[in-house]
Amino acid sequence: MANECNVKNESCIKPDDPRFKELKAYIDSVRDQQGISIMVLQEAQRLFGYVPLEVQKWISLELWDYSVGELYGITTFYSQFNLTKQGKHKISVCLGTACYVKGAQAIVEALEQYLNIEVGGISEDEMFSLEATRCLGCCSLAPVMMIDDDVYAKLYDTKQIPEILSKYYLESELEDEMESEVGA
Amino acid sequence: MAVKKVNVTINGIEVQVPEDYTVLLAAREAGIDIPTLCYLKDINEVAACRLCVCEAEVNGRPMRNLPTACVLKVEDGMVVRTDTERVRKAVKMNLELLLANHNRECLSCDRNQTCELQKLCHEMGVESTRFEGEMRSLCYDDLSPSIVRDSSKCVLCGRCVSACDKLQNIAVLEFVNRGVNTKVAPGFGYSIRDTDCIYCGQCINMCPVAAIKEKTHIPQVWAAIQDPKKHVVVQTAPAVRAALGEEFGVKMGKAVTGKMVSALKRLGFDKVFDTNFSADLTIMEEGYDFINRVKNNGTLPMITSCSPGWIRYCEEFYPEFIPNLSTCKSPQQMFGAVAKSYYAKKAGIKPKDIVCVSIMPCTAKKAECARPEMQVDGHRDVDYVLTTRELARMIREARIIFDKLPESDPDPILGEGSGAGVIFGATGGVMEAALRTVADVLTGKDLKDIDYKAIRGIENFKQASVKLPIGGKNVEVKVGVVSSIRAAEQVLNQIEEGKLDLHFLEVMACPGGCVHGGGQPHVSAKDRIDQEVRSERAKVLYSEDKRLPHRKSHENEEIKALYEEYFKEPNSPISHKYLHTKYAEHFIYMPDVTDRV
Amino acid sequence: MAKNTTTLETLQTIKDGVLAEQAKEDNIRILVGMGTCGISAGAREVMAALKAELAQKPDVDNVQIIPCGCAGMCTYEPIVEVLEPGKKRVTYVHVTPDTASEIMYKHIFGGDPVVKYTINGEFKTLSEQNFYTKQKRVVLKNCGEINPEDINEYISRDGYQGLAKALLEMTPEEVIDVMKESGLRGRGGGGFPTGVKWSFAAPNKADQKYIICNADEGDPGAFMDRSVLEGDPHAILEAMAIGGYAIGATKGFIYVRAEYPVAVQRLQTAIHQAREMGLLGKNVLGSKFDFDIDIRLGAGAFVCGEETALIASIEGKRGMSRNKPPFPANHGLWGKPTCINNVETLANVPQIILNGADWFRGFGTAKSPGTKVFALGGKINQTGLVEVPMGITLREVIYDIGEGIPNGKKFKAVQTGGPSGGCITEENLEIPIDFDNLVAIGSMMGSGGMIVMDEDNCMVDIARFFLDFTVDESCGKCVPCREGTKRLHEILDRITSGEGEEADLQMLQDLAENIKLTSLCGLGQTAPNPVLSTLKHFHDEYEAHVIDKKCPALVCKPLLTFEIKDDCRGCTLCSRMCPVRAISGETKQQHVIDQTKCTKCGTCLTVCKFGSIVKY
């Protein structure tokens, strides 16, 4: 049987996760408005980082008007929604026109090669997820990429990329060390 | 109120049509057929396939681009052309684009010759496509007992999506992803088996191609017929006789009962029985169940349990109504249980050697017969279910000329049905049949006025009340009849909110009841414009009812014999063993499901 | 419930107060450009440094540090401007936290401007740049001038006066008449007259009507809406209230991209402030007109810029377009009459009401009055946001404002209208920009992206890039757009990878025309434009790809040939670096590339220190 939609649903979100309570409070605060499904999914993604089956099923029961199928249809239509767990850091490479004509594709390729992932994927160590986005609105700084909220501008030379990424690995190592010290 | 009429000129032909008409409908009045694929009157008017494009002028000003006739409202003085080279070129190219992303195995396709895309391509002279390229990722889901999805055939017209949402309000099937990656699927890559699908098959009825179809039991049935050790009995649901003829060119609205029975005999079934028989049996059991509930303060309203789509829906979404469900098995299952007990005994055949096949207008029946509890003493009530369409396929395969078949009658013992049994196939039929018996039982009379017209017809929800003597008092018994899940959901909500007070409720999952079930012959979107399928087919059943000698279930001679010889009386312990069942809440989209599609 | 006591007089009092404060002799206002572009360039750190310095001097009370929107000249960010009554405005550019401290000490506290940090060290302000002299700022009038998070500053620049005039002095019909007379046309792309649009929704009877601000700016390379929302959010609220009054809507929605967090936050602040002051809510300015606004965040779908898809999205559905008619003015959000206007369009409205239709018609051309904001980008010296009167020529925008093409390269084309637009060539640069002229030359206004391309850009590749975008962003509903754009893209892919045939060009043309003709919504109807316009203007380039199998701009890798010239010194570096070992040759001998092995990665060209490798 052709297997096309291997959505990983393995997630560690349990029905008693306290974040459901927060989501419930949010839903109650907007319940009297019309057409709240997308708002609720956005809030769910803010709380959980992604909207896997467990979360959508929960929302479907909470918002009686929306079946799991409909919510899934919505979350696969809009590129903002993630159905799978995301990397610790989100890399978004701008593929707006200004960036493209100035060579943004090379950044994407370099990142794919370096992290050994494809656009939309997450690196094996779960440190980075890679996305190509529409215009980030920094056209004068083209080509640009963002890692979380940091903008890296004028990336004409893709050789800078390993260096930029290593910064995040270093930070992560430091955090780990601090944690282990605190733990000890 | 008279609708205002406007004048429109289409391809030079002037027509006067009501002002709420679309160009598509106006063109039909002018004798012009505009190609459509996604269009489904009142259900899916989305202008997505862009095959009904035309050139239009309003007040002498041409409209921008090529508007779509399916949604373009007529205006007085509008001039439309559908016959220009520009329009033909556009239609052809859009067909080519569809073909480029379509699995073109037409010869071996289930819908060969009933496929609306194939028909259009043939009519428009589109034989191949210039746009070969990457095709949609495949998804072939045959895990469910009822429904098979084949995305390679899907044209993304959205007719199934609308059927599931607008008719049923379940919305299992949805558009997923976007752009060229769009597909129609349930959520999260789940097989339809593990979703909220109730197997009603309305999606199949609406599909213009073979992207959704029933899971076939034809090979198993052929094998059983060929097996000399097996005694194969077949039952046919009431609604089948109202539609089977359509598969063989008979005009919609004509009964083919006699020919159908002959065909089944020629196919090699050992005995040809009738589900009308067990429909009558259901009325006996359900009628007494109802009388008991009313007399003994049981859970009311009692809700019928004949429609497996409805049962599955209730178990998924309204488990709180499970106590309201009649414990009676559906006529199909009752038939199987009786065939492998009472009939087996009478015919001197071991139950294990009997293969029970049913011909149903329904896809959910396939799932119903596979429910684990549908067996007695290790014998499955029903072994295989064929839809009306599958039966037609077998008849064709057996090279039987349907038109030339003689008329014959079903075999005795389980072959007689009353008029009450036959109307089961239309929405309101079960309730009417039940009232005929319940009223006679409670009044102790042989009532003559038995046409309950208030609960006939294709409206989704109908109500009536009947004054009946219960426990010494004259009680106004309030009954309701609802068809389609969307309407049923509203009725259930009203009952829960205390806004609706009923004693007895008939629910059918399919709009119009079984005559419009998911296993019935395909009716093209074009034919649906010109005729109301639900009422045309229902008409057949009500005229059968008129013609039958017995019109009440309790007057059926074979039913009387069955109780005398076997079950003693309705709701007896032995009838409970064979004819009644249990329900339980059903869970969907469970995370531990590993086989996805 | 907010007590509503705000009146016209209140607005006047606030305005007078703010202006008087600013006019005080020793008042110093420091404006820090805090649009997304400024923040990306480090404006937050600069702001922090300025504030830290100010905090060192608790006795100084005449200095205000004000975050403001984007001034449009993104290349100079972070920008800090100092305004003192009676003195020349001082503009510091490329400010860092260190220079910020220095500016505070020397200029603010010391009274001595630091000339070396101004533009080119010439003590010039932004408005003295070529970039600004041909501009006319109507829409962007407050961007970079006021604190967008302070409603009083907006009021001080005649904010909410337009609303007051509409509500207190005009009937809804009069408002619509003024809008019609002004000739304002929708800036979101189509150019439909705004007043006419309003007049369609106004007469419809309904228990509820809506006005929607379309802030789902999605054209790659256009960011004027973001700039307005970030720099002047109250203008949008005011305009929506005016529109609501005109058509009879009491509820407004702003549908804004979630990727614009700064804009969203400023809008929220603005709505909150306007509600507090009773400029939104019940009985606005004592006029008995009720109006309120909610924000809805887009979730990442370009097609939601299309009206009907946007409505579907606000309704909480997949953003799939539906056929028009019926138009939203009759059957819109939740089936109610709805008017949808784009951000830039709305930003014009308060000023038109306040100053009159004739004032507005004073800019631009007869058929396209007013100004248009363009996001100038690509291969051009000065990138950024420019607001120019309609009727200006493309040449003026590119050469006078944008200061031409960098690195002495040759201009090739300018792309307007984003994925819906087309490429305009040298021969059409003198055409005055307006809605109709751009359409006539095969492009469109679109939302105002203007991307300049030079000789190094391959036009087939550019067409493929835009199709890549539309294939991904098509909603997938209708056949020509869903299936057709995919096939267009495949054909372009074939051509750019050297597998194209001459017949492909005719197929491209036919298919593109069919998509344009039969698609359901604006996205599909315009999606083929990049193909059609490049096919028209750069047919030779397409032919070079399919006949000669060459990419004249040297962009399409599979069509390139790398060769080592005979001045090769045989240093072996290229041979060692070649990932597929396609280069052979002895030390100090001429090296050769095996063309059958070469993957055209270009590594050899990059590493060769002697310029001995050529590609063609």
Side-chain angles (χ1 to χ4, degrees):
Chain A
M1 187 178 302
N3 203 336
E4 47 139 355
C5 19
N6 250 327
V7 183
K8 270 198 211 164
N9 283 294
E10 292 75 24
S11 78
C12 28
I13 298 171
K14 297 274 176 291
D16 57 352
D17 192 301
R19 287 171 290 188
F20 281 119
K21 263 195 184 148
E22 278 183 69
L23 190 55
K24 168 97 170 110
Y26 176 78
I27 290 174
D28 288 338
S29 75
V30 296
R31 203 185 278 283
D32 55 338
Q33 296 180 35
Q34 283 175 285
I36 57 173
S37 56
I38 294 174
M39 293 157 67
V40 170
L41 285 163
Q42 284 171 329
E43 177 67 9
Q45 176 148 311
R46 194 186 66 77
L47 289 167
F48 294 98
Y50 62 124
V51 278
L53 173 67
E54 288 82 345
V55 173
Q56 294 197 25
K57 225 170 107 176
W58 186 91
I59 295 174
S60 165
L61 290 173
E62 198 61 40
L63 307 178
W64 188 244
D65 290 348
Y66 293 89
S67 70
V68 173
E70 282 173 288
L71 293 176
Y72 184 74
I74 292 169
T75 49
T76 55
F77 184 87
Y78 297 101
S79 53
Q80 184 191 33
F81 294 111
N82 302 314
L83 299 178
T84 50
K85 216 171 162 187
Q86 295 299 290
K88 193 171 168 195
H89 301 285
K90 182 174 138 192
I91 308 178
S92 325
V93 182
C94 178
L95 282 188
T97 318
C99 287
Y100 185 77
V101 299
K102 288 191 170 178
Q105 190 59 36
I107 305 177
V108 175
E109 282 163 18
L111 282 164
E112 285 182 332
Q113 202 180 357
Y114 192 79
L115 296 169
N116 194 23
I117 54 176
E118 280 178 28
V119 170
I122 166 172
S123 63
E124 214 175 77
D125 55 8
E126 298 193 355
M127 270 293 279
F128 294 101
S129 34
L130 176 62
E131 271 177 29
T133 69
R134 294 190 278 142
C135 187
L136 293 169
C138 319
C139 305
S140 56
L141 308 172
V144 299
M145 71 170 181
M146 275 177 91
I147 300 185
D148 302 331
D149 287 334
D150 301 331
V151 176
Y152 294 90
K154 301 190 178 170
L155 291 169
Y156 298 113
D157 187 358
T158 54
K159 285 185 196 132
Q160 304 168 50
I161 284 169
E163 199 185 320
I164 294 171
L165 297 184
S166 65
K167 211 176 89 183
Y168 292 86
Y169 284 113
L170 211 70
E171 263 176 29
S172 164
E173 274 170 34
L174 280 173
E175 277 171 26
D176 288 350
E177 268 173 39
M178 292 212 331
E179 259 176 42
S180 61
E181 271 169 35
V182 171
Chain B
M1 199 169 57
V3 182
K4 219 180 106 190
K5 296 237 178 176
V6 294
N7 292 304
V8 192
T9 311
I10 305 174
N11 297 353
I13 302 164
E14 252 188 74
V15 278
Q16 203 178 46
V17 294
E19 63 172 352
D20 60 351
Y21 261 40
T22 58
V23 168
L24 177 71
L25 296 180
R28 291 185 80 75
E29 303 271 308
I32 297 159
D33 179 48
I34 295 177
T36 60
L37 187 61
C38 66
Y39 176 80
L40 206 50
K41 191 167 181 280
D42 299 329
I43 297 171
N44 199 48
E45 300 186 2
V46 296
C49 71
R50 315 308 280 182
L51 296 177
C52 64
V53 289
C54 60
E55 290 182 47
E57 263 180 41
V58 182
N59 300 327
R61 279 176 46 196
M63 291 182 70
R64 213 163 55 95
N65 299 333
L66 297 181
T68 40
C70 68
V71 293
L72 183 63
K73 288 267 184 286
V74 291
E75 287 180 51
D76 200 33
M78 187 183 247
V79 177
V80 178
R81 291 222 81 99
T82 69
D83 56 355
T84 62
E85 188 55 23
R86 193 157 160 247
V87 169
R88 260 199 300 274
K89 241 179 101 180
V91 175
K92 285 183 175 189
M93 193 175 277
N94 284 340
L95 277 170
E96 280 188 72
L97 287 171
L98 278 167
L99 285 187
N101 216 340
H102 183 73
N103 178 359
R104 280 163 278 156
E105 49 171 32
C106 299
L107 273 182
S108 58
C109 181
D110 270 0
R111 293 295 298 273
N112 191 9
Q113 301 194 31
T114 62
C115 170
E116 295 182 30
L117 176 63
Q118 186 190 41
K119 184 162 181 277
L120 276 178
C121 287
H122 175 68
E123 289 166 354
M124 297 302 296
V126 175
E127 290 164 352
S128 59
T129 176
R130 281 169 286 172
F131 305 108
E132 302 286 357
E134 198 188 327
M135 289 173 71
R136 192 169 305 118
S137 63
L138 292 183
C139 176
Y140 192 85
D141 174 11
D142 60 356
L143 295 178
S144 93
S146 289
I147 292 179
V148 175
R149 280 197 318 116
D150 178 359
S151 74
S152 71
K153 307 266 174 74
C154 181
V155 291
L156 297 172
C157 64
R159 282 160 55 162
C160 58
V161 175
S162 286
C164 199
D165 184 15
K166 281 197 182 166
L167 297 178
Q168 304 295 52
N169 201 24
I170 303 178
V172 180
L173 290 176
E174 247 301 340
F175 285 111
V176 168
N177 301 333
R178 72 169 179 228
V180 76
N181 298 317
T182 307
K183 57 181 181 175
V184 170
F188 291 92
Y190 271 61
S191 162
I192 217 162
R193 177 195 64 194
D194 304 310
T195 66
D196 30 1
C197 177
I198 61 164
Y199 303 136
C200 71
Q202 288 301 311
C203 50
I204 301 178
N205 278 1
M206 303 307 169
C207 182
V209 293
I212 315 180
K213 54 189 178 185
E214 65 272 75
K215 181 150 183 173
T216 188
H217 285 173
I218 291 178
Q220 292 91 323
V221 173
W222 278 134
I225 289 174
Q226 295 302 311
D227 189 339
K229 293 197 285 287
K230 296 293 181 193
H231 181 78
V232 188
V233 302
V234 65
Q235 55 167 324
T236 54
V240 175
R241 68 209 64 193
L244 180 65
E246 295 164 27
E247 289 272 354
F248 300 99
V250 178
K251 198 173 167 291
M252 185 180 287
K254 197 164 174 302
V256 291
T257 319
K259 286 186 193 299
M260 175 182 74
V261 173
S262 299
L264 289 165
K265 288 183 175 171
R266 286 205 189 175
L267 287 176
F269 287 103
D270 294 304
K271 290 288 173 191
V272 179
F273 295 133
D274 200 332
T275 315
N276 290 7
F277 165 82
S278 51
D280 284 333
L281 180 57
T282 304
I283 288 304
M284 299 304 289
E285 293 294 322
E286 206 164 73
Y288 279 89
D289 186 0
F290 176 66
I291 293 168
N292 285 339
R293 288 187 194 222
V294 178
K295 282 189 173 159
N296 305 322
N297 284 327
T299 310
L300 291 175
M302 188 176 92
I303 308 180
T304 58
S305 56
C306 308
S307 167
W310 146 243
I311 293 297
R312 194 170 164 94
Y313 180 76
C314 182
E315 290 178 320
E316 281 169 7
F317 292 103
Y318 286 88
E320 63 272 28
F321 276 99
I322 286 177
N324 297 69
L325 293 175
S326 161
T327 57
C328 292
K329 286 180 181 173
S330 71
Q332 154 170 292
Q333 299 302 131
M334 282 198 184
F335 179 91
V338 172
K340 291 191 182 178
S341 55
Y342 168 71
Y343 169 74
K345 209 166 151 189
K346 274 186 89 107
I349 304 166
K350 286 182 189 146
K352 73 171 178 59
D353 291 332
I354 297 179
V355 174
C356 184
V357 176
S358 45
I359 316 293
M360 292 284 142
C362 180
T363 41
K365 289 284 172 195
K366 287 176 184 265
E368 183 188 44
C369 92
R371 286 175 70 119
E373 68 275 16
M374 290 297 179
Q375 57 163 356
V376 184
D377 297 337
H379 304 299
R380 305 293 311 163
D381 295 345
V382 174
D383 298 284
Y384 304 115
V385 177
L386 300 173
T387 60
T388 312
R389 292 185 296 263
E390 286 174 281
L391 173 61
R393 225 173 293 153
M394 285 182 74
I395 293 173
R396 279 193 289 267
E397 207 177 321
R399 314 310 299 157
I400 294 168
I401 301 175
F402 192 80
D403 193 36
K404 297 205 168 159
L405 282 169
E407 313 255 329
S408 35
D409 289 323
D411 292 312
I413 306 183
L414 310 179
E416 186 191 341
S418 74
V422 79
I423 58 172
F424 259 56
T427 169
V430 177
M431 184 59 72
E432 182 166 344
L435 287 177
R436 288 179 189 178
T437 290
V438 168
D440 273 16
V441 170
L442 289 173
T443 56
K445 293 179 193 161
D446 179 16
L447 296 170
K448 295 292 170 219
D449 190 9
I450 56 168
D451 285 349
Y452 292 87
K453 293 213 165 116
I455 49 174
R456 293 185 185 178
I458 56 166
E459 294 77 42
N460 285 338
F461 183 50
K462 293 158 287 188
Q463 290 187 80
S465 62
V466 193
K467 281 223 166 69
L468 291 172
I470 298 170
K473 278 184 291 184
N474 233 3
V475 178
E476 182 159 333
V477 174
K478 284 178 255 178
V479 302
V481 170
V482 63
S483 76
S484 87
I485 293 298
R486 172 173 281 276
E489 187 184 346
Q490 286 163 2
V491 169
L492 293 184
N493 288 343
Q494 286 182 30
I495 292 173
E496 275 193 334
E497 290 162 15
K499 289 177 186 160
L500 187 62
D501 181 29
L502 291 174
H503 292 91
F504 197 176
L505 176 65
E506 175 201 304
V507 183
M508 290 294 157
C510 292
C514 306
V515 287
H516 194 239
Q520 293 284 62
H522 281 288
V523 183
S524 74
K526 285 284 162 58
D527 289 341
R528 282 177 188 272
I529 298 176
D530 299 328
Q531 49 199 347
E532 178 45 75
V533 178
R534 293 168 296 172
S535 47
E536 282 300 307
R537 289 181 182 158
K539 239 169 43 191
V540 178
L541 301 181
Y542 287 109
S543 57
E544 288 276 286
D545 170 33
K546 282 268 185 216
R547 119 187 132 75
L548 284 164
H550 298 299
R551 296 186 61 203
K552 297 171 182 171
S553 299
H554 55 280
E555 290 173 355
N556 181 330
E557 299 297 338
E558 290 181 353
I559 291 288
K560 285 186 195 163
L562 173 65
Y563 277 105
E564 271 163 31
E565 295 175 29
Y566 203 71
F567 288 131
K568 309 305 173 207
E569 57 178 18
N571 290 311
S572 67
I574 179 161
S575 84
H576 259 277
K577 176 179 171 185
Y578 285 97
L579 309 180
H580 291 253
T581 186
K582 287 196 190 74
Y583 312 101
E585 185 169 2
H586 180 81
F587 297 95
I588 57 169
Y589 284 107
M590 296 307 283
D592 54 351
V593 172
T594 48
D595 50 339
R596 314 252 172 97
V597 285
Chain C
M1 175 142 326
K3 55 189 182 318
N4 203 340
T5 52
T6 302
T7 61
L8 193 55
E9 290 72 45
T10 327
L11 292 179
Q12 194 59 45
T13 317
I14 292 170
K15 180 181 171 180
D16 293 346
V18 174
L19 292 180
E21 181 67 29
Q22 288 176 3
K24 275 190 194 158
E25 205 180 333
D26 63 345
N27 180 289
I28 301 179
R29 299 170 70 221
I30 307 175
L31 299 176
V32 185
M34 295 279 274
T36 293
C37 46
I39 292 172
S40 315
R44 280 212 179 99
E45 292 75 14
V46 169
M47 183 79 160
L50 293 170
K51 282 192 169 157
E53 292 299 338
L54 186 60
Q56 300 282 322
K57 305 247 181 186
D59 49 323
V60 174
D61 62 355
N62 60 333
V63 178
Q64 299 152 275
I65 301 173
I66 299 159
C68 66
C70 167
M73 220 166 168
C74 309
T75 30
Y76 286 123
E77 297 282 1
I79 297 172
V80 170
E81 296 195 279
V82 180
L83 276 72
E84 295 172 81
K87 290 189 188 162
K88 185 176 174 182
R89 184 177 183 135
V90 181
T91 305
Y92 295 108
V93 296
H94 298 305
V95 181
T96 64
D98 288 344
T99 54
S101 305
E102 197 178 331
I103 291 163
M104 283 304 278
Y105 262 83
K106 291 192 175 151
H107 184 168
I108 308 302
F109 305 142
D112 194 9
V114 195
V115 179
K116 62 179 173 182
Y117 299 139
T118 61
I119 299 170
N120 301 334
E122 289 171 349
F123 205 52
K124 273 190 178 169
T125 64
L126 286 179
S127 52
E128 288 166 333
Q129 297 297 302
N130 289 338
F131 191 74
Y132 278 90
T133 43
K134 287 208 171 177
Q135 292 198 42
K136 171 66 205 167
R137 300 204 141 205
V138 175
V139 168
L140 300 177
K141 129 182 128 124
N142 289 333
C143 289
E145 298 295 329
I146 64 167
N147 179 355
E149 304 199 359
D150 184 349
I151 191 170
N152 290 346
E153 289 210 12
Y154 178 68
I155 292 170
S156 78
R157 290 171 68 98
D158 293 334
Y160 289 105
Q161 297 282 350
L163 176 63
K165 183 172 170 188
L167 292 184
L168 304 176
E169 296 169 24
M170 299 165 80
T171 64
E173 295 74 33
E174 284 168 345
V175 173
I176 290 175
D177 285 344
V178 171
M179 291 309 299
K180 277 186 179 169
E181 283 161 29
S182 76
L184 173 66
R185 297 171 67 170
R187 302 302 198 230
F192 194 82
T194 307
V196 177
K197 203 175 202 179
W198 288 8
S199 73
F200 288 157
N204 285 321
K205 299 258 180 293
D207 54 347
Q208 177 73 61
K209 295 186 199 177
Y210 298 99
I211 184 161
I212 298 174
C213 168
N214 181 351
D216 189 49
E217 185 171 54
D219 282 11
F223 53 97
M224 58 285 302
D225 292 350
R226 194 204 70 207
S227 236
V228 173
L229 296 172
E230 287 177 355
D232 199 10
H234 282 287
I236 301 305
L237 307 189
E238 182 181 357
M240 287 176 74
I242 294 170
Y245 174 70
I247 68 165
T250 55
K251 178 88 196 166
F253 286 99
I254 302 176
Y255 186 84
V256 57
R257 278 181 79 181
E259 292 94 329
Y260 285 177
V262 179
V264 173
Q265 178 254 316
R266 288 190 185 154
L267 279 170
Q268 279 164 344
T269 307
I271 290 174
H272 179 73
Q273 288 171 348
R275 280 184 190 151
E276 288 275 291
M277 282 196 62
L279 294 165
L280 287 176
K282 294 261 175 230
N283 193 17
V284 177
L285 292 168
S287 66
K288 302 211 162 53
F289 170 64
D290 304 336
F291 188 73
D292 206 354
I293 295 175
D294 267 341
I295 297 176
R296 285 285 192 278
L297 297 189
F302 172 72
V303 67
C304 289
E306 198 278 337
E307 294 189 324
T308 58
L310 187 153
I311 286 174
S313 186
I314 294 184
E315 289 174 349
K317 302 178 194 154
R318 290 164 57 87
M320 309 216 315
S321 314
R322 64 151 179 78
N323 205 73
K324 292 191 284 192
F327 290 93
N330 303 318
H331 188 93
L333 190 59
W334 292 298
K336 308 289 183 192
T338 302
C339 208
I340 303 174
N341 295 112
N342 138 287
V343 171
E344 190 186 336
T345 315
L346 287 171
N348 281 295
V349 170
Q351 297 181 68
I352 292 174
I353 296 299
L354 190 61
N355 303 321
D358 289 341
W359 167 82
F360 187 73
R361 296 197 78 97
F363 318 111
T365 65
K367 281 188 158 179
S368 300
T371 61
K372 177 76 192 94
V373 184
F374 288 100
L376 203 49
K379 305 284 182 65
I380 190 157
N381 278 312
Q382 295 296 344
T383 60
L385 274 193
V386 300
E387 182 173 358
V388 290
M390 298 274 193
I392 192 171
T393 64
L394 280 161
R395 184 177 297 283
E396 284 174 282
V397 174
I398 294 164
Y399 288 95
D400 297 348
I401 296 175
E403 296 179 8
I405 316 300
N407 308 324
K409 296 278 184 178
K410 203 168 155 273
F411 169 87
K412 187 175 206 172
V414 55
Q415 212 279 350
T416 68
S420 315
C423 292
I424 300 163
T425 48
E426 182 88 38
E427 64 192 28
N428 284 323
L429 285 187
E430 308 302 337
I431 287 175
I433 300 173
D434 71 9
F435 287 101
D436 312 300
N437 285 344
L438 287 183
V439 171
I441 54 174
S443 185
M444 67 183 283
M445 188 74 84
S447 56
M450 195 180 270
I451 307 287
V452 180
M453 292 169 219
D454 68 10
E455 54 191 296
D456 291 342
N457 290 116
C458 166
M459 300 317 284
V460 187
D461 180 60
I462 292 295
R464 196 182 58 97
F465 164 76
F466 280 116
L467 258 298
D468 208 26
F469 182 85
T470 29
V471 166
D472 193 40
E473 296 293 345
S474 158
C475 82
K477 182 174 179 176
C478 79
V479 171
C481 179
R482 179 186 71 232
E483 309 289 343
T485 55
K486 169 73 180 169
R487 302 306 166 202
L488 273 186
H489 187 261
E490 282 177 348
I491 299 170
L492 289 168
D493 243 357
R494 279 209 296 272
I495 296 176
T496 53
S497 57
E499 289 155 20
E501 292 163 20
E502 236 181 307
D504 283 338
L505 301 189
Q506 189 56 46
M507 194 140 97
L508 265 186
Q509 181 83 28
D510 290 349
L511 180 55
E513 279 169 8
N514 181 61
I515 297 170
K516 201 175 161 82
L517 202 59
T518 64
S519 284
L520 189 153
C521 81
L523 187 143
Q525 287 160 11
T526 57
N529 283 351
V531 177
L532 288 168
S533 81
T534 48
L535 263 178
K536 184 175 170 196
H537 297 298
F538 299 95
H539 209 267
D540 52 338
E541 223 169 294
Y542 277 90
E543 282 173 355
H545 281 74
V546 295
I547 300 171
D548 313 331
K549 307 289 180 197
K550 280 285 152 207
C551 173
L554 304 179
V555 171
C556 302
K557 274 188 186 170
L559 296 173
L560 300 182
T561 309
F562 287 84
E563 229 172 58
I564 301 175
K565 289 191 289 181
D566 50 12
D567 62 352
C568 168
R569 304 190 186 191
C571 75
T572 74
L573 183 60
C574 60
S575 163
R576 280 181 283 128
M577 298 303 282
C578 176
V580 292
R581 303 187 170 278
I583 304 175
S584 56
E586 298 297 316
T587 314
K588 302 203 175 164
Q589 298 282 312
Q590 159 94 35
H591 279 50
V592 186
I593 300 174
D594 181 347
Q595 296 298 340
T596 59
K597 283 188 186 166
C598 175
T599 58
K600 341 261 184 186
C601 70
T603 307
C604 52
L605 185 74
T606 328
V607 296
C608 180
K609 290 177 180 146
F610 310 104
S612 297
I613 295 174
V614 288
K615 66 170 176 181
Y616 59 87

